[in-house]
Amino acid sequence: MAERHEIRLCGFGGQGVILAGHIIGQAAAIYEHKHATFIQDYGPEARGGSTRADVVVSDERVTYPYIETPTVLLAMSQPAYDKYHPQNHRDALVIIDAELVKPIVEAGKKVISVPARRIAEELGRTAVANSVMLGFFTAATGIVSPDAIKKAIAASVPKNTIELNLKAFDRGYAYGLEHSEAR
Amino acid sequence: MSQPRHLAGEFFLSGDEACAEGAINAGCRFFAGYPITPATEIAERMSERLPEVGGTYIQMEDELASMAAVLGASWGGVKAMTATSGPGFSLMMENIGLGAMTETPCVVVDIQRAGPSTGLPTLTGQGDMLQARWGSHGCYSIIALSPDSPQELYDLTIKAFNLSEQFRVPVLIMSEAATGHMYERVVIKSVEELELLPRRKPNVPPEEYLPYQPDDDLVPAMASAGEGYGFHTTGLTHDERGYPAMSVEAQDRLIRRLVDKIEKNKDAIIELEEDGTENAEVIVCSYGISARISQMAVQMARDEGMKVGILRLITVWPFPDERIRGLAQTARAFVVPEINYGQIVREVERCAGGKRTVLVPHMGGTVHNPHTIFEAIRQAVK
């Protein structure tokens, strides 16, 4: 059986959720030569409401690029979490911003958190919270290597913010390694 | 950020973006269009890229004018393209017919959404497949290609330009929102590695040039405006000089040639992808994103021991009658998933020689659930 990861990222419009999804897909497809598809929720309701990006990473061609039951849900806002977590695969790993999402605690559900926005604030820019999340995601899942994600970040963000975004990634990655429950 | 004139390497692109890069690398230097979801990203990318390569981008007042401008640019000697979706495709129909009648090379991309009318503006469909063939009035033939990935949107856009120059006909790329908005790895070869067909220029002196005198393959050579060759072109029925010829004989000669230059060159045009069709009991015949989704259903059926093959129509028009007739010799049934209420299935049924032909319809908005296609295969095997 092919190893297939179905990753859903969600949050408010403007948090960089879509960009983070694109970065994961790009890291897997270009820098690790895996098969990856990326699809963003595309509709008139996207502005101001919940946004969503779906990434499939596989070691075989992705014939079906859609996600019915995510195996990883990365949520950066409460409304997005509320909307999407019921669709999760029963063994899904849920990754949330510790201060923005209050998860529903259920036995057997894997929920891990990182204070991404607070770390981004410490770095001087809340806009890099998505890079903190990417670092944490990378450490927690091992789906894509940190090297590949960092290359994809450098290729995707504005030039004058590359350094800051990579720093944010490193903070999130370190936080993920420190908190052993992440694995 | 300054980009190189031509991209080369591996990129993580949407189908729409890949289509635009294919056009740039094919030598397209003119785009006229009107933005419409889900094709807007093609226009956006072309508006950035064309000025970088010395080309021209014009946002027109509507799709009628867009198509007219594309034909004019082509007569000016430039490879030209437009991109749209269902509502705009309808508006382009009259001038696509003019392009077929005047034998004007150009590429028209339809990133289909669910219709009719405004329908589901942001969501996928495949409802324009027969319109692609029959949408303009009168009798003509056309070429239409259907990609199943961003990579193929890149590759087939280049192929579309080549076919349009080779056969002097508008070539349609019939994609859909699901593929246009999907991101995937796209490998872009350097331009030097591409085989690009130039325009068929006349090889006679200007005084001997007849703009509608066909070569042996039924396609005439085409001088561009400003090259010293006199020509006249019109949507009226015309003779070899391009002058209006209001006679039954001229109509007969012209229309036969417009159709035959495509239908009699089918072997040079048609591209298909087959997997496991030899000795298959059931053949899934599909195109675009529906063919891609079908691959998953076919695998599920094979896992249960069913003998299933898949025939993917990369070229939808002209239709591969002969291949389907051939497959109908051995197959018991055809299963045709498409995101409409039955279009290409009619063509398959026409060629299936009485073999069972099962439509798996989907009214649009999403792609098929692979289990639905699997279930249709299972029923067809019985």
Side-chain angles (χ1 to χ4, degrees):
Chain A
M1 267 302 270
E3 197 182 28
R4 180 180 160 112
H5 301 283
E6 305 192 339
I7 306 155
R8 174 164 293 164
L9 302 92
C10 59
F12 281 126
Q15 285 180 313
V17 165
I18 303 294
L19 180 61
H22 188 275
I23 285 169
I24 294 171
Q26 185 176 15
I30 305 299
Y31 301 111
E32 291 201 333
H33 267 259
K34 292 181 176 172
H35 293 272
T37 56
F38 160 76
I39 290 167
Q40 65 189 84
D41 192 27
Y42 191 97
E45 74 285 1
R47 218 152 282 201
S50 297
T51 62
R52 184 186 96 194
D54 286 352
V55 185
V56 177
V57 177
S58 175
D59 48 17
E60 276 181 10
R61 183 174 192 238
V62 180
T63 50
Y64 190 74
Y66 300 93
I67 296 182
E68 312 293 343
T69 54
T71 56
V72 178
L73 178 74
L74 191 156
M76 291 180 70
S77 80
Q78 190 68 47
Y81 170 83
D82 291 342
K83 184 172 176 185
Y84 292 117
H85 87 89
Q87 298 169 14
N88 280 349
H89 191 270
R90 59 188 150 75
D91 297 325
L93 174 66
V94 177
I95 300 175
I96 54 173
D97 186 307
E99 293 170 8
L100 297 179
V101 179
K102 263 207 177 85
I104 294 161
V105 183
E106 288 173 87
K109 299 284 177 192
K110 287 175 280 185
V111 182
I112 57 175
S113 64
V114 55
R117 191 180 62 171
R118 182 155 52 77
I119 291 173
E121 267 169 12
E122 287 167 21
L123 291 168
R125 249 175 119 164
T126 51
V128 297
N130 60 343
S131 288
V132 180
M133 288 301 276
L134 277 174
F136 187 69
F137 161 85
T138 306
T141 65
I143 294 169
V144 191
S145 74
D147 189 46
I149 295 275
K150 285 165 96 162
K151 281 182 185 159
I153 288 175
S156 303
V157 302
K159 268 211 170 95
N160 59 346
T161 70
I162 291 176
E163 208 186 312
L164 184 63
N165 274 289
L166 292 178
K167 206 181 277 178
F169 174 88
D170 287 339
R171 286 285 301 272
Y173 188 74
Y175 192 95
L177 293 183
E178 273 167 37
H179 295 74
S180 56
E181 83 273 21
R183 281 277 181 187
Chain B
M1 202 168 79
S2 72
Q3 295 208 43
R5 280 169 60 85
H6 296 280
L7 294 187
E10 295 187 349
F11 301 87
F12 196 62
L13 298 178
S14 71
D16 281 2
E17 292 167 344
C19 174
E21 291 301 332
I24 295 290
N25 282 2
C28 174
R29 292 297 177 265
F30 183 89
F31 184 103
Y34 189 82
I36 182 169
T37 302
T40 302
E41 291 87 345
I42 299 176
E44 277 179 351
R45 186 102 172 179
M46 291 303 272
S47 73
E48 286 172 19
R49 296 286 279 128
L50 276 170
E52 293 175 357
V53 295
T56 304
Y57 172 92
I58 308 180
Q59 183 166 319
M60 301 298 291
E61 66 268 37
D62 58 31
E63 288 86 348
L64 285 83
S66 302
M67 193 60 221
V70 163
L71 297 181
S74 185
W75 279 100
V78 180
K79 289 185 180 177
M81 177 172 102
T82 188
T84 189
S85 190
F89 197 52
S90 291
L91 292 176
M92 287 179 183
M93 278 303 139
E94 181 175 3
N95 280 333
I96 288 175
L98 180 62
M101 185 59 144
T102 56
E103 302 183 66
T104 308
C106 59
V107 173
V108 178
V109 184
D110 180 5
I111 306 293
Q112 297 170 84
R113 61 195 221 185
S117 190
T118 323
L120 299 172
T122 64
L123 301 175
T124 210
Q126 292 179 322
D128 310 347
M129 299 307 294
L130 291 186
Q131 185 184 23
R133 176 64 186 88
W134 303 108
S136 202
H137 56 276
C139 208
Y140 61 98
S141 269
I142 202 102
I143 298 174
L145 311 175
S146 181
D148 79 340
S149 63
Q151 178 71 56
E152 234 176 42
L153 256 163
Y154 171 82
D155 293 332
L156 293 186
T157 300
I158 294 170
K159 187 185 171 96
F161 275 100
N162 281 345
L163 289 169
S164 78
E165 295 295 342
Q166 190 177 356
F167 295 101
R168 281 193 59 181
V169 68
V171 175
L172 313 177
I173 295 185
M174 301 304 293
S175 186
E176 59 285 292
T179 312
H181 278 166
M182 181 202 308
Y183 286 73
E184 207 169 24
R185 177 172 57 232
V186 177
V187 180
I188 297 183
K189 288 185 192 166
S190 71
V191 178
E192 293 73 34
E193 289 176 81
L194 297 175
E195 204 174 309
L196 300 178
L197 291 185
R199 185 142 300 175
R200 304 163 72 115
K201 289 292 170 73
N203 54 10
V204 294
E207 60 275 16
E208 290 173 29
Y209 177 55
L210 289 170
Y212 288 99
Q213 176 73 50
D215 290 343
D216 290 344
D217 64 355
L218 304 178
V219 185
M222 183 176 181
S224 297
E227 290 178 340
Y229 286 79
F231 66 83
H232 187 276
T233 189
T234 172
L236 288 168
T237 296
H238 44 270
D239 60 20
E240 283 68 20
R241 297 171 301 166
Y243 294 173
M246 303 294 99
S247 73
V248 175
E249 292 74 22
Q251 171 76 1
D252 184 83
R253 200 158 64 238
L254 178 59
I255 301 314
R256 281 182 191 279
R257 189 173 63 73
L258 290 183
V259 173
D260 288 349
K261 73 172 178 178
I262 306 298
E263 302 301 325
K264 292 193 171 166
N265 284 312
K266 271 184 168 186
D267 288 349
I269 298 170
I270 290 175
E271 186 178 348
L272 303 168
E273 187 180 81
E274 295 188 32
D275 178 38
T277 45
E278 303 295 329
N279 308 317
E281 289 182 5
V282 172
I283 290 174
V284 176
C285 177
S286 192
Y287 55 89
I289 191 72
S290 298
R292 181 171 176 146
I293 303 301
S294 294
Q295 287 170 357
M296 190 169 170
V298 166
Q299 192 53 53
M300 289 157 66
R302 286 176 181 164
D303 289 347
E304 298 211 353
M306 298 176 218
K307 288 165 104 177
V308 187
I310 183 161
L311 172 69
R312 182 164 75 88
L313 310 178
I314 298 171
T315 310
V316 176
W317 305 113
F319 197 74
D321 299 28
E322 274 182 43
R323 185 60 193 136
I324 291 180
R325 288 204 180 94
L327 290 169
Q329 302 287 323
T330 50
R332 281 166 49 192
F334 291 89
V335 171
V336 186
E338 48 184 343
I339 308 175
N340 55 52
Y341 212 169
Q343 296 196 3
I344 295 302
V345 68
R346 293 164 170 267
E347 292 294 304
V348 177
E349 190 165 30
R350 182 174 61 78
C351 303
K355 295 291 175 70
R356 229 169 115 206
T357 306
V358 183
L359 168 69
V360 190
H362 185 310
M363 298 317 133
T366 63
V367 301
H368 288 82
N369 183 325
H371 292 274
T372 310
I373 302 171
F374 168 73
E375 196 50 42
I377 295 170
R378 217 163 57 97
Q379 293 297 326
V381 169
K382 276 183 188 169

